Amino acid sequence: QGFCWRLPAGEIFRAPEAVMTFSNEGLNGLSGNFHRFVRQHILRGNWKEKPRPVLLNNWEAYFFDFTEAKLLSLAKQAKAVGVELFVLDDGWFGERNSDTAGLGDYTVNRKKLPGGIEGLAQKITTMGLRFGLWFEPESVNLESELYRTHPEWALQQPGRQPSMGRHQLLLDLTRPEVRDYIVHHITHLLDHCPITYVKWDMNRHLSEVGSDFLPPERQKEVPHRYMLGVYELLSWFRSRFPDIIIETCSGGGGRYDLGMMRYGEQIWTSDLTLPAARTVIQYGSTLAYPAATMSCHVSHPGVDPDEIDYRWAVAIHGMLGYEMNILTVDEAVKARIPHEIEQYREYEHLIKDGELYRLKNPPENGCAAYYYTNGDGSEILLSFIQTEDSVKNVSYRLKISRAERGAVYIDRR
């Protein structure tokens, strides 16, 4: 919509690619085609074939209100329950004590982190954990050193008051100097830290899409050139830091697409983590994309230990993580986490690399049933998730078509 591209003689324009498939085996056949295509031709990087570390993200525990001491206490407990990667989320830079300020600045907040990111990362890794970090490199707050110095670096249209989205604007990635600024600061930070994982976030829709870097007759090229700038940054990151896992995010799944999968091993599927809703979201996501691309976290467990089992049973159908304050959860809840991680590791090869078959569609049935199997059908991971309460006791008969006829399967739970 509103797109136009001036193409002078001798220049080339590459249109976005589309992927189509056909199957006479229903949705399972269609999604199987897409899954194989994504795994074989889209996903790349040094972590493509490796098991991903189970992580704990600190956001749900502290939001912006953290100190190094709080983070280290949380990391120590995470290590004790079997977590392998500790992720520091938003709030570590500039005057970032809320979502109104700081985006665009990369100066570490020394009030929160006296030793900087490097000092925190070293202490975390000394515990035997890997360390990960959150970025939102495409955005800028008006209350930031970057915007005060370079207001022209934000996407905006002359004569129009820019709209705020989450108190922020987007940086004009059509400008080489903006991309150079991001590259410089990320390089300086990551070159001095033992980092395994980066969450590349983006929490704003494009609006007032204009750039004074381009002449008036080329303003309709800005949205497309913006995405080319995003891909250029991610391509640089992928080549510069090949051993870092990239998880892309856009308020969750706002950029859950093949273009982003070329650069990141996984995508944060959605900010909505309630298990009933998440079951539907994951059902839809896996219609086109394999489970290996989904980041799925257990969050907000209450005092009922059974609740964390329910959330875990949903979250294991992607790359597993946790978002909670495990220092304050019930001891019975905490005690289950090591067993959950151990079980997930047993199933991970099926979830990450196996074939997925759907049996019950959650939006239509009030439940979800699906299974993963390896190539010869000797292993099957079957899940049944009730997403709606029912006053009746309903029995379901599930046909596992990939089970080997005449074989005996053993439930190893």
Side-chain angles (χ1 to χ4, degrees):
Q1 182 179 9
F3 170 80
C4 182
W5 192 276
R6 297 173 69 89
L7 191 64
E11 291 191 6
I12 294 173
F13 175 78
R14 241 180 219 99
E17 298 178 28
V19 178
M20 301 179 69
T21 189
F22 166 81
S23 175
N24 60 1
E25 298 178 349
L27 288 178
N28 285 328
L30 281 173
S31 66
N33 290 347
F34 276 126
H35 293 180
R36 286 185 289 273
F37 171 77
V38 170
R39 283 196 288 248
Q40 294 170 15
H41 302 290
I42 299 296
L43 296 179
R44 58 197 65 198
N46 293 350
W47 285 89
K48 175 182 174 181
E49 306 294 339
K50 297 178 183 178
R52 315 276 169 77
V54 175
L55 66 84
L56 174 74
N57 186 300
N58 80 295
W59 179 247
E60 301 286 355
Y62 297 125
F63 300 102
F64 295 105
D65 185 23
F66 61 81
T67 62
E68 183 179 272
K70 286 183 177 181
L71 297 176
L72 292 175
S73 295
L74 189 63
K76 183 179 180 180
Q77 186 61 67
K79 173 65 177 177
V81 298
V83 167
E84 300 154 331
L85 167 66
F86 183 85
V87 178
L88 173 58
D89 209 277
D90 196 357
W92 54 265
F93 50 88
E95 295 300 320
R96 189 72 170 168
N97 298 310
S98 70
D99 62 4
T100 62
L103 278 179
D105 299 336
Y106 288 85
T107 303
V108 178
N109 187 323
R110 297 282 173 165
K111 294 179 182 178
K112 296 180 180 180
L113 304 174
I117 294 295
E118 180 180 0
L120 176 67
Q122 289 176 345
K123 291 175 182 177
I124 296 290
T125 54
T126 299
M127 294 180 186
L129 288 165
R130 298 176 184 269
F131 181 70
L133 192 61
W134 177 96
F135 288 104
E136 193 171 348
E138 302 168 51
S139 297
V140 63
N141 289 124
L142 271 62
E143 292 298 319
S144 66
E145 287 300 317
L146 177 62
Y147 188 80
R148 284 189 283 267
T149 306
H150 289 289
E152 75 280 6
W153 280 12
L155 288 178
Q156 49 196 305
Q157 293 180 345
R160 290 193 177 186
Q161 183 72 22
S163 303
M164 293 295 106
R166 201 173 177 243
H167 309 290
Q168 64 199 51
L169 300 175
L170 290 176
L171 290 171
D172 183 359
L173 297 188
T174 70
R175 288 176 170 268
E177 63 268 33
V178 173
R179 301 194 298 272
D180 290 344
Y181 172 86
I182 295 170
V183 165
H184 169 76
H185 284 283
I186 290 179
T187 302
H188 179 75
L189 189 65
L190 299 191
D191 272 350
H192 296 85
C193 293
I195 290 181
T196 299
Y197 161 107
V198 159
K199 182 174 181 178
W200 187 294
D201 209 347
M202 194 276 198
N203 287 298
R204 192 190 190 284
H205 295 293
L206 276 72
S207 66
E208 292 87 42
V209 186
S211 169
D212 61 8
F213 177 71
L214 295 172
E217 65 272 16
R218 307 201 76 155
Q219 289 300 304
K220 292 184 178 180
E221 299 176 13
V222 174
H224 187 74
R225 288 186 180 275
Y226 179 92
M227 283 309 303
L228 294 181
V230 172
Y231 293 152
E232 180 181 310
L233 285 172
L234 285 166
S235 181
W236 160 79
F237 192 103
R238 181 79 290 162
S239 61
R240 180 65 179 77
F241 303 104
D243 295 322
I244 293 180
I245 298 168
I246 301 176
E247 178 182 277
T248 60
C249 174
S250 183
R255 279 181 175 168
Y256 206 144
D257 58 53
L258 296 174
M260 298 304 285
M261 287 178 199
R262 285 171 55 85
Y263 306 103
E265 287 84 355
Q266 55 201 61
I267 296 176
W268 177 232
T269 316
S270 174
D271 284 343
L272 179 55
T273 57
L274 295 174
R278 191 58 178 253
T279 299
V280 179
I281 292 168
Q282 292 173 195
Y283 176 90
S285 298
T286 55
L287 287 173
Y289 308 126
T293 64
M294 292 196 304
S295 291
C296 301
H297 294 179
V298 179
S299 68
H300 295 305
V303 295
D304 182 0
D306 291 336
E307 183 186 349
I308 195 172
D309 288 347
Y310 177 28
R311 292 171 181 269
W312 172 83
V314 173
I316 62 164
H317 295 284
M319 301 297 97
L320 181 65
Y322 290 81
E323 300 212 20
M324 63 180 72
N325 190 339
I326 53 176
L327 294 169
T328 60
V329 297
D330 185 270
E331 288 299 319
V333 170
K334 192 185 302 182
R336 297 197 184 197
I337 296 176
H339 303 292
E340 292 174 350
I341 295 174
E342 183 180 2
Q343 265 196 296
Y344 170 72
R345 286 301 185 205
E346 288 185 39
Y347 307 145
E348 183 184 18
H349 66 289
L350 293 173
I351 298 164
K352 182 173 172 291
D353 302 314
E355 299 173 0
L356 172 62
Y357 293 87
R358 294 168 192 80
L359 303 174
K360 291 291 182 181
N361 178 343
E364 296 175 0
N365 295 282
C367 65
Y370 45 88
Y371 66 94
Y372 296 87
T373 180
N374 59 349
D376 62 6
S378 61
E379 292 182 277
I380 291 172
L381 174 62
L382 172 66
S383 286
F384 179 86
I385 307 293
Q386 190 84 23
T387 57
E388 296 178 7
D389 292 332
S390 175
V391 295
K392 298 179 180 179
N393 292 319
V394 180
S395 297
Y396 296 92
R397 178 167 292 180
L398 305 176
K399 183 178 180 180
I400 315 299
S401 62
R402 289 302 309 278
E404 183 180 339
R405 185 181 298 275
V408 176
Y409 288 83
I410 299 172
D411 185 347
R412 296 188 303 173
R413 289 180 301 168

